[in-house]
Structures are given as structure tokens and as C-alpha cells.
Amino acid sequence: MPDQRIEPAMSDPAVDDRDRDRNVLNLMLADSPWPWSLDEIARELHSDVAAQDAVTRLADAGLLHRLDGGFVFPTRAARRADELGLGDA
């Protein structure tokens, strides 16, 4: 039997971004008080850059509001979608 080498799957950056965005939104929608600071999110993600990027994507999509001082909280649309279970799939 010839040697078969299986290459590891390359990580898809878009999937990684979606996972990070989902994690950040789940933090916001969990039974925890709002707002969250960008520093708190960075600690959860273990990366300042990943936290900033995720917050920017979610805010641009209309799912997070930003406050002065680096605080964020979920929009009404994000909270309602969560209540309806639209993120479950």
C-alpha cells in the first residue's frame, strides 16, 4: 500500500472570524450585565486585535452599539434575534 500523506486542513480566516463574532455576541447576550468593555472582551478572546476586529464587524452589522470609553452592548435587533433562537443552527 503506498504511503498516503494527509495534509492538515488549512484554517479558513472567514470561519475563524465568524466564530469570534459569534463568541463575542454570545458574551453580550448571556445573562451578564451590559455594557462590556473592549478590554474585557479582549481578555475573553485572548487578543486585543481579535476583540477590536470582532466588535467592529458586529457594530458595522448593526448588532452592537459602541459607547464612549470603549464599551459595547447588543442592539435590540441582536437581543430579539437571540430571543427567537435565530442564532441557533
Side-chain angles (χ1 to χ4, degrees):
M1 177 175 218
D3 288 347
Q4 291 181 340
R5 187 172 162 180
I6 300 173
E7 295 294 324
M10 295 297 292
S11 177
D12 183 351
V15 172
D16 293 342
D17 287 347
R18 280 194 307 265
D19 288 343
R20 275 190 215 95
D21 293 356
R22 190 174 293 119
N23 288 339
V24 169
L25 199 52
N26 284 336
L27 286 172
M28 300 285 117
L29 296 170
D31 291 329
S32 61
W34 309 314
W36 278 65
S37 73
L38 193 52
D39 290 338
E40 290 170 323
I41 296 167
R43 279 194 296 274
E44 291 290 328
L45 296 182
H46 306 291
S47 170
D48 291 338
V49 172
Q52 181 63 50
D53 289 349
V55 165
T56 297
R57 284 189 299 272
L58 291 167
D60 289 349
L63 298 172
L64 290 183
H65 289 299
R66 294 179 189 225
L67 300 173
D68 290 338
F71 290 94
V72 296
F73 63 97
T75 62
R76 288 177 55 191
R79 293 191 316 255
R80 183 64 179 142
D82 183 56
E83 289 170 3
L84 295 172
L86 297 179
D88 303 337

